[in-house]
């Protein structure tokens, strides 16, 4: 399957499979899409190929996020920058999941947090995850440096209302 070939970093095989009709946007529970897998791995070359082949930069899969969330969790600034340049929505909320900023914050990726905020990420955009858990960038921050950065950019403690 396409995701296995993405994991093997075989660009030629990905091109052949797509040329033979493989759906570059197919989602697999537990993996996401091929682009989500490449973004999670920080594989910029594969991200570029998948985008060229028509992979959806904002395609999400329940429980697996979207490409920008995956890259943010990994702290892959080059992949994040490429996805943003390709039109990734910086404030996209994956239903019952989170945002790229919350993912970067939860994974202690200050450089990723900075890049997202520079590209317009809402420091107060919270979500309900797992059906009941309220997450906001500030309440998910584990490090003082990220809390300080977010607060310095207007983040406040907010609750659903």
């Amino acid at each position: 399957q396409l995701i296995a070939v993405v994991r093997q970093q075989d660009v030629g095989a990905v091109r052949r499979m797509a040329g033979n009709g493989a759906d570059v946007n197919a989602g697999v529970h537990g993996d996401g899409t091929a682009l989500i897998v490449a973004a999670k791995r920080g594989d910029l070359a594969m991200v570029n190929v998948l985008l060229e082949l028509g992979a959806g930069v904002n395609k999400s899969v329940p429980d697996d996020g979207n490409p920008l969330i995956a890259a943010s969790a990994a702290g892959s600034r080059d992949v994040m920058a490429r996805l943003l340049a390709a039109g990734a929505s910086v404030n996209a909320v994956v239903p019952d999941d989170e945002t790229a900023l919350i993912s970067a914050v939860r994974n202690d990726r200050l450089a990723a947090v900075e890049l997202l905020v520079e590209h317009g990420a809402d420091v107060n955009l919270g979500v309900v995850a797992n059906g009941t858990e309220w997450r906001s960038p500030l309440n998910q921050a584990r490090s003082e440096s990220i809390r300080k950065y977010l607060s310095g950019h207007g983040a406040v403690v907010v609750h659903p209302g």
Side-chain angles (χ1 to χ4, degrees):
Q1 73 173 330
L2 186 62
I3 288 175
V5 176
V6 167
R7 282 197 178 100
Q8 295 167 0
Q9 299 177 292
D10 190 339
V11 170
V14 168
R15 287 185 188 281
R16 284 190 299 280
M17 289 178 77
N20 290 330
D23 181 1
V24 296
N25 287 305
V28 175
H29 184 73
D31 287 320
T33 64
L35 187 56
I36 290 171
V37 170
K40 189 180 297 182
R41 296 173 60 87
D43 187 342
L44 183 59
M46 188 63 72
V47 165
N48 283 327
V49 167
L50 290 166
L51 289 171
E52 172 190 320
L53 294 171
V57 72
N58 288 306
K59 172 81 172 153
S60 65
V61 175
D63 297 324
D64 296 310
N66 65 30
L68 188 58
I69 288 172
S72 298
S76 248
R77 282 182 55 99
D78 56 346
V79 171
M80 292 169 59
R82 177 64 180 102
L83 294 170
L84 289 163
S89 176
V90 73
N91 287 311
V93 176
V94 174
D96 203 34
D97 195 348
E98 59 192 24
T99 66
L101 181 58
I102 292 171
S103 183
V105 166
R106 276 193 322 105
N107 287 282
D108 246 359
R109 308 291 190 183
L110 179 58
V113 169
E114 292 168 343
L115 180 68
L116 291 166
V117 171
E118 288 167 13
H119 281 84
D122 182 344
V123 297
N124 289 307
L125 179 60
V127 298
V128 175
N130 304 319
T132 59
E133 181 187 345
W134 176 250
R135 292 181 185 167
S136 72
L138 200 54
N139 81 8
Q140 293 298 298
R142 296 178 180 162
S143 72
E144 185 57 35
S145 60
I146 289 180
R147 275 192 290 279
K148 184 177 179 180
Y149 179 85
L150 291 171
S151 295
H153 285 81
V156 295
V157 177
V158 293
H159 300 283

